[in-house]
Amino acid sequence: MITITLATQKGGVSKTTTSEALILGLKRKGLKVLAIDLDSQGNLSNFLNPEATCDVFDFLDGKTDGRKCIQKDLIAGGPRLAYVPQYFENNPLTSLKDKLTKLKLDYDVCVIDTPPAISKVVFAALACSDYVIIPTEASKDSLDGVNQTLEAIEAVNNNTKSDTKLLGVVIVKYKERFTVHRQFKESLEKTKKFPVFKTTIRESQAINNAKTYNEDFFGKEYMHANAVQDYRDFVKEVMSKTKLKAK
């Protein structure tokens, strides 16, 4: 099982939507995917399994069999994640990694959605990850979030002896007709400071509609929407970068 975390220190950059797209897209390729929602808002959980009765806190505290915390291939987030930082005050940041190791033969991929802020919860997610994907808008504020996340990855690798790698930065809410967006993309690609996904994600109301009704936005009704087409290409690019094969 490889673990991919979606992380950024800037909110409002379609991080959870990108997590959802990756989870749904990989499942459509026949892969067994475990989703973990580390955001106390629980938006990923509400989309994938709003009826979940077990959450990440249950998974970590060990009072419940870890596999029983997986419902519909999801370890849910929600309000009780407020207690998780306290858990990491008394337990190593690698605790989540240790628990996920027991599931490595059950799944092909684990996708983790994280809160948009520096915290021990995010550090724990980074520590157990093989790869990190950072979504960003074409703006300076979002780029600051990218740099902060890169610093967090470096700090976690140094402090936990992890080998977490940046898979790439993906630009979301992209508008090709906007000169500033094109310039931003060109600037990122020229810096060579970090890998940038070739695929950019356009905005699309269709995805918002699908999420409202908890529907798979790769389904027939939404398949021709711009962002859905982009996310389909994004999933292919992730698979190519990680050498994942469709089944």
PDB file of all heavy atoms in Angstrom, residues 168-188:
ATOM      1  N   GLY A 168       3.954  16.358  -6.271  1.00  0.00           N
ATOM      2  CA  GLY A 168       3.786  17.514  -7.146  1.00  0.00           C
ATOM      3  C   GLY A 168       2.805  18.530  -6.614  1.00  0.00           C
ATOM      4  O   GLY A 168       2.016  18.260  -5.705  1.00  0.00           O
ATOM      5  N   VAL A 169       2.867  19.707  -7.199  1.00  0.00           N
ATOM      6  CA  VAL A 169       1.916  20.788  -6.933  1.00  0.00           C
ATOM      7  C   VAL A 169       0.923  20.818  -8.078  1.00  0.00           C
ATOM      8  O   VAL A 169       1.312  20.794  -9.253  1.00  0.00           O
ATOM      9  CB  VAL A 169       2.649  22.146  -6.821  1.00  0.00           C
ATOM     10  CG1 VAL A 169       1.653  23.284  -6.681  1.00  0.00           C
ATOM     11  CG2 VAL A 169       3.630  22.130  -5.650  1.00  0.00           C
ATOM     12  N   VAL A 170      -0.367  20.845  -7.750  1.00  0.00           N
ATOM     13  CA  VAL A 170      -1.395  20.881  -8.797  1.00  0.00           C
ATOM     14  C   VAL A 170      -2.152  22.204  -8.696  1.00  0.00           C
ATOM     15  O   VAL A 170      -2.592  22.605  -7.614  1.00  0.00           O
ATOM     16  CB  VAL A 170      -2.361  19.677  -8.698  1.00  0.00           C
ATOM     17  CG1 VAL A 170      -3.044  19.591  -7.333  1.00  0.00           C
ATOM     18  CG2 VAL A 170      -3.394  19.718  -9.819  1.00  0.00           C
ATOM     19  N   ILE A 171      -2.266  22.890  -9.824  1.00  0.00           N
ATOM     20  CA  ILE A 171      -2.958  24.189  -9.849  1.00  0.00           C
ATOM     21  C   ILE A 171      -4.445  23.953 -10.071  1.00  0.00           C
ATOM     22  O   ILE A 171      -4.847  23.305 -11.039  1.00  0.00           O
ATOM     23  CB  ILE A 171      -2.393  25.096 -10.963  1.00  0.00           C
ATOM     24  CG1 ILE A 171      -0.889  25.288 -10.774  1.00  0.00           C
ATOM     25  CG2 ILE A 171      -3.110  26.449 -10.958  1.00  0.00           C
ATOM     26  CD1 ILE A 171      -0.221  26.040 -11.915  1.00  0.00           C
ATOM     27  N   VAL A 172      -5.271  24.497  -9.161  1.00  0.00           N
ATOM     28  CA  VAL A 172      -6.718  24.336  -9.235  1.00  0.00           C
ATOM     29  C   VAL A 172      -7.379  25.682  -9.540  1.00  0.00           C
ATOM     30  O   VAL A 172      -6.739  26.735  -9.472  1.00  0.00           O
ATOM     31  CB  VAL A 172      -7.273  23.759  -7.913  1.00  0.00           C
ATOM     32  CG1 VAL A 172      -6.668  22.386  -7.629  1.00  0.00           C
ATOM     33  CG2 VAL A 172      -6.997  24.696  -6.739  1.00  0.00           C
ATOM     34  N   LYS A 173      -8.658  25.610  -9.907  1.00  0.00           N
ATOM     35  CA  LYS A 173      -9.434  26.822 -10.253  1.00  0.00           C
ATOM     36  C   LYS A 173      -8.705  27.625 -11.324  1.00  0.00           C
ATOM     37  O   LYS A 173      -8.683  28.859 -11.303  1.00  0.00           O
ATOM     38  CB  LYS A 173      -9.695  27.674  -9.008  1.00  0.00           C
ATOM     39  CG  LYS A 173     -10.448  26.934  -7.905  1.00  0.00           C
ATOM     40  CD  LYS A 173     -10.693  27.817  -6.696  1.00  0.00           C
ATOM     41  CE  LYS A 173     -11.405  27.057  -5.585  1.00  0.00           C
ATOM     42  NZ  LYS A 173     -11.660  27.873  -4.394  1.00  0.00           N
ATOM     43  N   TYR A 174      -8.126  26.888 -12.273  1.00  0.00           N
ATOM     44  CA  TYR A 174      -7.275  27.503 -13.296  1.00  0.00           C
ATOM     45  C   TYR A 174      -8.106  28.045 -14.448  1.00  0.00           C
ATOM     46  O   TYR A 174      -9.026  27.382 -14.936  1.00  0.00           O
ATOM     47  CB  TYR A 174      -6.294  26.455 -13.808  1.00  0.00           C
ATOM     48  CG  TYR A 174      -5.282  26.973 -14.804  1.00  0.00           C
ATOM     49  CD1 TYR A 174      -4.239  27.797 -14.408  1.00  0.00           C
ATOM     50  CD2 TYR A 174      -5.372  26.627 -16.156  1.00  0.00           C
ATOM     51  CE1 TYR A 174      -3.305  28.256 -15.314  1.00  0.00           C
ATOM     52  CE2 TYR A 174      -4.437  27.085 -17.071  1.00  0.00           C
ATOM     53  CZ  TYR A 174      -3.412  27.901 -16.641  1.00  0.00           C
ATOM     54  OH  TYR A 174      -2.490  28.368 -17.554  1.00  0.00           O
ATOM     55  N   LYS A 175      -7.769  29.251 -14.883  1.00  0.00           N
ATOM     56  CA  LYS A 175      -8.451  29.884 -16.012  1.00  0.00           C
ATOM     57  C   LYS A 175      -7.404  30.250 -17.059  1.00  0.00           C
ATOM     58  O   LYS A 175      -6.661  31.219 -16.899  1.00  0.00           O
ATOM     59  CB  LYS A 175      -9.220  31.127 -15.555  1.00  0.00           C
ATOM     60  CG  LYS A 175     -10.348  30.840 -14.566  1.00  0.00           C
ATOM     61  CD  LYS A 175     -11.067  32.116 -14.170  1.00  0.00           C
ATOM     62  CE  LYS A 175     -12.256  31.841 -13.266  1.00  0.00           C
ATOM     63  NZ  LYS A 175     -11.841  31.323 -11.930  1.00  0.00           N
ATOM     64  N   GLU A 176      -7.352  29.465 -18.113  1.00  0.00           N
ATOM     65  CA  GLU A 176      -6.353  29.637 -19.165  1.00  0.00           C
ATOM     66  C   GLU A 176      -6.414  31.024 -19.795  1.00  0.00           C
ATOM     67  O   GLU A 176      -5.389  31.580 -20.206  1.00  0.00           O
ATOM     68  CB  GLU A 176      -6.550  28.561 -20.237  1.00  0.00           C
ATOM     69  CG  GLU A 176      -5.588  28.631 -21.414  1.00  0.00           C
ATOM     70  CD  GLU A 176      -4.175  28.232 -21.056  1.00  0.00           C
ATOM     71  OE1 GLU A 176      -4.007  27.433 -20.129  1.00  0.00           O
ATOM     72  OE2 GLU A 176      -3.248  28.714 -21.738  1.00  0.00           O
ATOM     73  N   ARG A 177      -7.627  31.592 -19.852  1.00  0.00           N
ATOM     74  CA  ARG A 177      -7.785  32.898 -20.516  1.00  0.00           C
ATOM     75  C   ARG A 177      -7.211  34.048 -19.690  1.00  0.00           C
ATOM     76  O   ARG A 177      -7.023  35.157 -20.208  1.00  0.00           O
ATOM     77  CB  ARG A 177      -9.265  33.162 -20.814  1.00  0.00           C
ATOM     78  CG  ARG A 177     -10.139  33.389 -19.599  1.00  0.00           C
ATOM     79  CD  ARG A 177     -11.603  33.586 -19.982  1.00  0.00           C
ATOM     80  NE  ARG A 177     -12.446  33.879 -18.854  1.00  0.00           N
ATOM     81  CZ  ARG A 177     -12.943  32.974 -18.010  1.00  0.00           C
ATOM     82  NH1 ARG A 177     -12.646  31.697 -18.203  1.00  0.00           N
ATOM     83  NH2 ARG A 177     -13.712  33.330 -16.997  1.00  0.00           N
ATOM     84  N   PHE A 178      -6.931  33.797 -18.413  1.00  0.00           N
ATOM     85  CA  PHE A 178      -6.371  34.836 -17.548  1.00  0.00           C
ATOM     86  C   PHE A 178      -4.844  34.847 -17.691  1.00  0.00           C
ATOM     87  O   PHE A 178      -4.180  33.848 -17.402  1.00  0.00           O
ATOM     88  CB  PHE A 178      -6.736  34.584 -16.083  1.00  0.00           C
ATOM     89  CG  PHE A 178      -8.158  34.911 -15.729  1.00  0.00           C
ATOM     90  CD1 PHE A 178      -9.110  35.173 -16.704  1.00  0.00           C
ATOM     91  CD2 PHE A 178      -8.555  34.954 -14.404  1.00  0.00           C
ATOM     92  CE1 PHE A 178     -10.423  35.472 -16.372  1.00  0.00           C
ATOM     93  CE2 PHE A 178      -9.864  35.253 -14.050  1.00  0.00           C
ATOM     94  CZ  PHE A 178     -10.802  35.512 -15.039  1.00  0.00           C
ATOM     95  N   THR A 179      -4.319  35.987 -18.116  1.00  0.00           N
ATOM     96  CA  THR A 179      -2.871  36.101 -18.299  1.00  0.00           C
ATOM     97  C   THR A 179      -2.121  35.792 -17.017  1.00  0.00           C
ATOM     98  O   THR A 179      -1.091  35.105 -17.020  1.00  0.00           O
ATOM     99  CB  THR A 179      -2.504  37.521 -18.777  1.00  0.00           C
ATOM    100  OG1 THR A 179      -3.172  37.783 -20.011  1.00  0.00           O
ATOM    101  CG2 THR A 179      -1.004  37.647 -18.976  1.00  0.00           C
ATOM    102  N   VAL A 180      -2.636  36.275 -15.883  1.00  0.00           N
ATOM    103  CA  VAL A 180      -1.947  36.077 -14.601  1.00  0.00           C
ATOM    104  C   VAL A 180      -1.881  34.594 -14.236  1.00  0.00           C
ATOM    105  O   VAL A 180      -0.894  34.138 -13.647  1.00  0.00           O
ATOM    106  CB  VAL A 180      -2.633  36.889 -13.480  1.00  0.00           C
ATOM    107  CG1 VAL A 180      -4.036  36.346 -13.175  1.00  0.00           C
ATOM    108  CG2 VAL A 180      -1.781  36.893 -12.219  1.00  0.00           C
ATOM    109  N   HIS A 181      -2.891  33.823 -14.629  1.00  0.00           N
ATOM    110  CA  HIS A 181      -2.882  32.389 -14.352  1.00  0.00           C
ATOM    111  C   HIS A 181      -1.833  31.691 -15.218  1.00  0.00           C
ATOM    112  O   HIS A 181      -1.097  30.813 -14.732  1.00  0.00           O
ATOM    113  CB  HIS A 181      -4.263  31.794 -14.609  1.00  0.00           C
ATOM    114  CG  HIS A 181      -5.232  32.049 -13.502  1.00  0.00           C
ATOM    115  ND1 HIS A 181      -6.303  31.228 -13.225  1.00  0.00           N
ATOM    116  CD2 HIS A 181      -5.294  33.055 -12.587  1.00  0.00           C
ATOM    117  CE1 HIS A 181      -6.984  31.710 -12.200  1.00  0.00           C
ATOM    118  NE2 HIS A 181      -6.395  32.827 -11.809  1.00  0.00           N
ATOM    119  N   ARG A 182      -1.759  32.068 -16.476  1.00  0.00           N
ATOM    120  CA  ARG A 182      -0.751  31.475 -17.367  1.00  0.00           C
ATOM    121  C   ARG A 182       0.658  31.816 -16.882  1.00  0.00           C
ATOM    122  O   ARG A 182       1.549  30.969 -16.879  1.00  0.00           O
ATOM    123  CB  ARG A 182      -0.948  31.944 -18.804  1.00  0.00           C
ATOM    124  CG  ARG A 182      -2.269  31.508 -19.436  1.00  0.00           C
ATOM    125  CD  ARG A 182      -2.229  31.645 -20.952  1.00  0.00           C
ATOM    126  NE  ARG A 182      -1.874  32.990 -21.374  1.00  0.00           N
ATOM    127  CZ  ARG A 182      -2.742  33.988 -21.557  1.00  0.00           C
ATOM    128  NH1 ARG A 182      -4.036  33.786 -21.327  1.00  0.00           N
ATOM    129  NH2 ARG A 182      -2.334  35.168 -21.962  1.00  0.00           N
ATOM    130  N   GLN A 183       0.842  33.068 -16.479  1.00  0.00           N
ATOM    131  CA  GLN A 183       2.156  33.498 -16.000  1.00  0.00           C
ATOM    132  C   GLN A 183       2.534  32.764 -14.721  1.00  0.00           C
ATOM    133  O   GLN A 183       3.692  32.389 -14.520  1.00  0.00           O
ATOM    134  CB  GLN A 183       2.159  35.011 -15.780  1.00  0.00           C
ATOM    135  CG  GLN A 183       2.077  35.816 -17.066  1.00  0.00           C
ATOM    136  CD  GLN A 183       1.974  37.313 -16.818  1.00  0.00           C
ATOM    137  OE1 GLN A 183       1.576  37.760 -15.725  1.00  0.00           O
ATOM    138  NE2 GLN A 183       2.327  38.108 -17.817  1.00  0.00           N
ATOM    139  N   PHE A 184       1.562  32.558 -13.844  1.00  0.00           N
ATOM    140  CA  PHE A 184       1.804  31.844 -12.587  1.00  0.00           C
ATOM    141  C   PHE A 184       2.264  30.416 -12.880  1.00  0.00           C
ATOM    142  O   PHE A 184       3.244  29.939 -12.315  1.00  0.00           O
ATOM    143  CB  PHE A 184       0.527  31.827 -11.749  1.00  0.00           C
ATOM    144  CG  PHE A 184       0.656  31.121 -10.420  1.00  0.00           C
ATOM    145  CD1 PHE A 184       1.069  31.815  -9.289  1.00  0.00           C
ATOM    146  CD2 PHE A 184       0.368  29.763 -10.295  1.00  0.00           C
ATOM    147  CE1 PHE A 184       1.192  31.174  -8.068  1.00  0.00           C
ATOM    148  CE2 PHE A 184       0.490  29.118  -9.081  1.00  0.00           C
ATOM    149  CZ  PHE A 184       0.905  29.822  -7.961  1.00  0.00           C
ATOM    150  N   LYS A 185       1.572  29.751 -13.787  1.00  0.00           N
ATOM    151  CA  LYS A 185       1.915  28.372 -14.146  1.00  0.00           C
ATOM    152  C   LYS A 185       3.315  28.308 -14.758  1.00  0.00           C
ATOM    153  O   LYS A 185       4.128  27.446 -14.406  1.00  0.00           O
ATOM    154  CB  LYS A 185       0.882  27.812 -15.116  1.00  0.00           C
ATOM    155  CG  LYS A 185       1.102  26.357 -15.541  1.00  0.00           C
ATOM    156  CD  LYS A 185      -0.065  25.863 -16.370  1.00  0.00           C
ATOM    157  CE  LYS A 185       0.092  24.395 -16.743  1.00  0.00           C
ATOM    158  NZ  LYS A 185       1.164  24.203 -17.738  1.00  0.00           N
ATOM    159  N   GLU A 186       3.598  29.216 -15.676  1.00  0.00           N
ATOM    160  CA  GLU A 186       4.913  29.240 -16.316  1.00  0.00           C
ATOM    161  C   GLU A 186       6.021  29.499 -15.296  1.00  0.00           C
ATOM    162  O   GLU A 186       7.095  28.900 -15.356  1.00  0.00           O
ATOM    163  CB  GLU A 186       4.941  30.310 -17.408  1.00  0.00           C
ATOM    164  CG  GLU A 186       4.054  29.971 -18.614  1.00  0.00           C
ATOM    165  CD  GLU A 186       3.862  31.162 -19.543  1.00  0.00           C
ATOM    166  OE1 GLU A 186       4.465  32.223 -19.270  1.00  0.00           O
ATOM    167  OE2 GLU A 186       3.102  31.030 -20.521  1.00  0.00           O
ATOM    168  N   SER A 187       5.731  30.386 -14.341  1.00  0.00           N
ATOM    169  CA  SER A 187       6.706  30.722 -13.307  1.00  0.00           C
ATOM    170  C   SER A 187       7.014  29.511 -12.421  1.00  0.00           C
ATOM    171  O   SER A 187       8.180  29.233 -12.106  1.00  0.00           O
ATOM    172  CB  SER A 187       6.184  31.873 -12.440  1.00  0.00           C
ATOM    173  OG  SER A 187       7.060  32.157 -11.380  1.00  0.00           O
ATOM    174  N   LEU A 188       5.956  28.766 -12.041  1.00  0.00           N
ATOM    175  CA  LEU A 188       6.157  27.561 -11.224  1.00  0.00           C
ATOM    176  C   LEU A 188       7.017  26.541 -11.962  1.00  0.00           C
ATOM    177  O   LEU A 188       7.923  25.938 -11.388  1.00  0.00           O
ATOM    178  CB  LEU A 188       4.815  26.923 -10.869  1.00  0.00           C
ATOM    179  CG  LEU A 188       3.991  27.493  -9.719  1.00  0.00           C
ATOM    180  CD1 LEU A 188       2.875  26.528  -9.358  1.00  0.00           C
ATOM    181  CD2 LEU A 188       4.843  27.774  -8.493  1.00  0.00           C
TER     182      LEU A 188
END
